[in-house]
Amino acid sequence: MKIKNIRNFCIIAHIDHGKSTLADRLLEYTGALQKRQMQAQVLDSMDLERERGITIKSHAVCMEYKAPDGQVYTFNLIDTPGHVDFSYEVSRSLAAAEGALLLVDASQGVEAQTISNVYQAIENDLVIIPVINKVDLPSSQVEVVQHQIMELIGCEEDEILLASAKNGIGIDEIMQAIIDRVPCPQGDPEAPLQALIFDSNFDSYRGVVALVRVINGELKEKDKITFMVTQRNFEAEELGSLLLKRIRTGGLSTGEVGYLICGAKNVRDIKVGDTVTHTHRPAAKPLPGYRQVKPMVYAGIYPVETQDFENLRNGLEKLVLNDSSLIYEPETSTALGFGFRCGFLGLLHMEIVQERLEREFDQNIIVTTPNVVYRVTTADGKVHYVDNPSKMTDPGTVEKVEEPLIDAHIISPPEYIGNIMKLAAEKRGILKNTSYLDPSRADLHYHLPLAEVVFDFYDRLKSVTRGYASLDYDFLGYRESKLVKLDIFINGEVLDALSIIVHTEKAYEHGRALCQKLRKLIPRQMFEVIIQAGIGNKIIARESIKALRKNVLAKCYGGDVSRKRKLLEKQKEGKKRMKQVGRVEIPQEAFLAVLSADED
């Protein structure tokens, strides 16, 4: 294939704006997909992706298209995730393309993630083709959305395409625009090899399959290759292009997108964003943009039954093969026994991992309260990163505690600004500025503590704006704050799995709400259960669950009162002994109670 006939592009959009549906139509239009193979969200291969209507992993597909002028073009479409948790995958997919279809819903308009992805596309010097989708809906507002897009990217009205991916409207115009506007790859076939890894997955029989875009040079089977970041050396065993299945071609040249199998058995050997080069004729430097993906949220995952620990370990090992952004290490809890401390990109990523463990690996698990990474400086000047509240340093030795801060953009109709400001103030947010995209949409720029966002911020934002607001954020850095560790005691024993780090001003309110919630969730025992919330040695809230009581007097039909008293005293002694050795079973709902404690 001539390099001038190659077009590499991706589709960027907010969640639920029709990205996967448009990809389906393009596959059908170019003949890559027959009618009999057709199903909704073809590129979304996971059941979870179909059920939730979201893209979790990047996907790439190659399409051959014969244009009206008779020329044959190769279209490499890289489908990208739309959720903020997977923004790094989006950035690498954008780096592998020359153009982007900016898809905007005709009824919902420009939203937060749309703006974020557009800025990323502009930073990567991509040609942006604006497309308004779902124009056939009765609720569509084409003129309003056109104005929003023109304000956002500074284009002319006649550059904006109108389409309905579901009904195949406007697909001809989109295909022609890709040919006319997206430039062909600009690389040097004679230069040392530089190929960008924009995604990877695991094949049970072949090992790690890396998805690559060749920027410069040429890659052939049997070539000795080096990954420039990890400094691992391999031999290229198989190369090919990505149709709906892998098609072996024996090599990839400048500008082409395809797959690479090199015998790597661990997905951590191949990192997204790394550069592939020849071992004997290496490139001078790796391609820009690589960064180590760092988890933003941590939680403990424990088996319900202790004997299932090894099964859980095996499940996590297999899951990590397909999800390199998940990290885990063994940990022990006095309340829950042996388990794992897992790091996730965000709350959605955590939910996905939990559901995949339960569905694909048949694991019955308990997930503890999610929390973020705090930076603690002790009196001796040492800096510690705390991802588990139970590892929090003794308050007497702490000089300062810093929490992660995010740079958030909230886009909403103006009538909900008051509600959003009230919610953000509750979450200790700092308003930086407010701007208007048009009379019907306002952009509120906030600095917010990440710990406040990972709990229930997104759900409450949707609630106070009736679903109209959208949120996008980037990690900003660390900020010093007055934070304390809040412990939960069950009958005097610390339940470390429920320990959380909270702001001093919210500690009492949060502790009381959590005790009340646990009182409703923990089942009654044969002895009294005392639930307490405390900071260090100071108890700030207390609730108790009354004991279940067997009627020991049922067999007494009369007789002397001393006999009844003796039976009651005997029962009392038994309960006291039971309380000393009794363990309280904590249901899974109790660990989720921390998330909703401040809703009540």
Side-chain angles (χ1 to χ4, degrees):
M1 175 59 67
K2 295 176 184 175
I3 195 168
K4 68 182 181 64
N5 283 16
I6 296 174
R7 298 291 184 272
N8 298 322
F9 67 98
C10 55
I11 305 174
I12 54 177
H14 192 78
I15 300 167
D16 202 30
H17 280 212
K19 184 156 44 72
S20 297
T21 310
L22 178 59
D24 291 351
R25 290 293 81 74
L26 296 178
L27 287 167
E28 197 176 13
Y29 190 84
T30 56
L33 198 65
Q34 302 302 321
K35 283 276 187 186
R36 59 188 171 77
Q37 297 172 295
M38 197 61 223
Q39 59 176 344
Q41 296 169 256
V42 171
L43 294 183
D44 293 345
S45 51
M46 273 190 254
D47 290 340
L48 275 172
E49 291 181 311
R50 295 178 185 286
E51 286 173 23
R52 290 174 174 247
I54 59 173
T55 302
I56 295 166
K57 280 203 61 79
S58 292
H59 300 273
V61 66
C62 177
M63 299 173 279
E64 296 285 332
Y65 174 59
K66 190 173 183 179
D69 61 4
Q71 290 209 56
V72 178
Y73 291 87
T74 297
F75 285 1
N76 289 308
L77 163 63
I78 299 163
D79 190 23
T80 57
H83 197 276
V84 67
D85 281 7
F86 308 106
S87 57
Y88 179 61
E89 281 197 21
V90 175
S91 75
R92 296 301 82 213
S93 299
L94 294 176
E98 278 80 32
L101 294 178
L102 170 62
L103 203 62
V104 182
D105 191 313
S107 55
Q108 296 182 49
V110 171
E111 298 200 55
Q113 192 67 35
T114 313
I115 293 175
S116 172
N117 287 341
V118 164
Y119 288 159
Q120 283 197 54
I122 292 169
E123 283 172 20
N124 282 282
D125 295 325
L126 266 62
V127 172
I128 297 171
I129 302 172
V131 179
I132 299 178
N133 192 25
K134 306 183 187 180
V135 293
D136 54 340
L137 289 179
S139 58
S140 66
Q141 300 174 305
V142 176
E143 291 82 5
V144 173
V145 178
Q146 278 177 333
H147 179 72
Q148 290 175 2
I149 293 172
M150 286 156 63
E151 286 285 319
L152 179 63
I153 61 174
C155 65
E156 299 298 323
E157 188 177 322
D158 58 359
E159 293 177 41
I160 302 172
L161 306 178
L162 305 181
S164 170
K166 192 168 186 179
N167 295 315
I169 299 167
I171 304 299
D172 281 327
E173 291 80 359
I174 292 172
M175 298 298 277
Q176 195 57 46
I178 293 167
I179 293 170
D180 296 340
R181 300 191 209 173
V182 177
C184 62
Q186 303 295 315
D188 182 0
E190 303 302 321
L193 173 67
Q194 283 182 307
L196 172 72
I197 300 173
F198 62 87
D199 196 17
S200 67
N201 52 59
F202 190 79
D203 184 297
S204 304
Y205 302 102
R206 304 301 307 276
V208 181
V209 181
L211 307 189
V212 298
R213 153 74 198 274
V214 181
I215 307 295
N216 292 306
E218 190 174 4
L219 181 58
K220 293 180 179 176
E221 289 181 5
K222 306 299 181 188
D223 284 354
K224 298 285 190 275
I225 55 172
T226 300
F227 298 116
M228 297 186 78
V229 171
T230 59
Q231 285 298 304
R232 299 297 302 274
N233 296 322
F234 293 97
E235 181 181 286
E237 293 178 2
E238 186 180 323
L239 294 161
S241 59
L242 293 151
L243 300 177
L244 287 178
K245 57 182 180 180
R246 299 196 294 265
I247 304 296
R248 189 170 186 171
T249 60
L252 293 170
S253 56
T254 301
E256 290 187 335
V257 173
Y259 70 90
L260 162 66
I261 297 174
C262 59
K265 299 302 180 190
N266 187 340
V267 83
R268 296 193 188 281
D269 293 337
I270 296 179
K271 294 187 178 291
V272 173
D274 202 347
T275 303
V276 182
T277 191
H278 283 130
T279 306
H280 303 302
R281 191 191 170 206
K285 59 181 181 179
L287 296 164
Y290 172 78
R291 62 181 171 85
Q292 186 74 36
V293 179
K294 290 185 179 176
M296 303 292 280
V297 177
Y298 284 82
I301 295 183
Y302 294 85
V304 171
E305 300 292 335
T306 320
Q307 61 265 30
D308 291 337
F309 175 74
E310 284 303 321
N311 293 337
L312 179 58
R313 185 200 293 275
N314 294 336
L316 281 167
E317 281 175 1
K318 289 175 183 172
L319 196 57
V320 164
L321 292 175
N322 280 307
D323 186 353
S324 57
S325 51
L326 169 67
I327 67 163
Y328 69 95
E329 60 180 27
E331 74 166 3
T332 310
S333 161
T334 53
L336 300 172
F338 293 103
F340 296 92
R341 193 80 188 159
C342 300
F344 310 95
L345 298 175
L347 218 55
L348 174 72
H349 187 210
M350 187 183 95
E351 285 178 35
I352 297 297
V353 168
Q354 183 180 350
E355 284 203 41
R356 288 187 71 185
L357 280 171
E358 288 172 350
R359 286 184 186 195
E360 297 173 26
F361 304 102
D362 198 26
Q363 295 296 310
N364 195 5
I365 55 175
I366 288 175
V367 181
T368 65
T369 317
N371 59 275
V372 299
V373 184
Y374 296 93
R375 192 160 67 187
V376 179
T377 307
T378 50
D380 57 5
K382 290 183 180 177
V383 176
H384 306 271
Y385 287 89
V386 177
D387 59 21
N388 188 343
S390 62
K391 295 178 184 173
M392 187 70 172
T393 318
D394 178 36
T397 63
V398 172
E399 188 174 297
K400 65 175 179 178
V401 181
E402 295 167 290
E403 62 182 344
L405 207 62
I406 58 166
D407 190 38
H409 284 271
I410 301 167
I411 294 179
S412 165
E415 58 264 33
Y416 301 113
I417 288 178
N419 292 351
I420 293 169
M421 285 183 160
K422 185 181 175 184
L423 174 62
E426 277 180 42
K427 300 294 184 182
R428 300 186 286 123
I430 300 168
L431 179 65
K432 304 309 287 183
N433 62 56
T434 305
S435 57
Y436 286 84
L437 303 174
D438 62 39
S440 65
R441 290 207 170 234
D443 179 2
L444 285 81
H445 182 196
Y446 270 98
H447 286 176
L448 284 157
L450 179 61
E452 300 282 2
V453 174
V454 300
F455 277 4
D456 61 342
F457 183 81
Y458 190 70
D459 291 338
R460 289 187 62 190
L461 177 66
K462 287 290 182 185
S463 177
V464 299
T465 61
R466 298 184 182 177
Y468 284 107
S470 58
L471 167 73
D472 181 63
Y473 61 83
D474 289 308
F475 178 68
L476 193 63
Y478 280 87
R479 176 183 74 178
E480 188 176 351
S481 192
K482 293 180 179 177
L483 300 165
V484 290
K485 185 174 90 162
L486 180 69
D487 286 317
I488 298 297
F489 300 87
I490 305 290
N491 281 352
E493 285 186 25
V494 177
L495 188 63
D496 54 358
L498 280 180
S499 296
I500 51 171
I501 296 172
V502 293
H503 195 267
T504 313
E505 292 175 3
K506 291 190 168 186
Y508 171 70
E509 172 194 337
H510 204 90
R512 187 181 61 181
L514 195 49
C515 286
Q516 289 173 348
K517 198 93 174 180
L518 290 172
R519 184 170 63 84
K520 296 174 188 173
L521 293 170
I522 295 174
R524 289 176 74 185
Q525 312 290 321
M526 292 301 290
F527 50 88
E528 187 180 27
V529 178
I530 308 296
I531 304 164
Q532 295 169 309
I535 300 169
N537 295 323
K538 183 183 177 185
I539 301 299
I540 58 171
R542 182 187 191 277
E543 293 286 337
S544 60
I545 302 170
K546 296 296 180 188
L548 283 170
R549 183 177 165 186
K550 181 183 175 184
N551 186 6
V552 292
L553 303 181
K555 57 186 177 184
C556 298
Y557 292 102
D560 189 53
V561 71
S562 61
R563 186 179 170 217
K564 294 181 181 179
R565 195 172 294 128
K566 189 193 287 184
L567 287 171
L568 289 171
E569 287 297 326
K570 190 177 176 183
Q571 184 186 44
K572 196 173 178 181
E573 284 298 318
K575 283 191 180 293
K576 194 181 290 182
R577 190 168 60 253
M578 193 185 292
K579 191 173 181 179
Q580 289 167 359
V581 296
R583 285 182 62 84
V584 184
E585 290 291 328
I586 311 291
Q588 165 72 55
E589 294 78 21
F591 299 98
L592 301 177
V594 182
L595 297 176
S596 54
D598 46 359
E599 289 178 14
D600 295 347

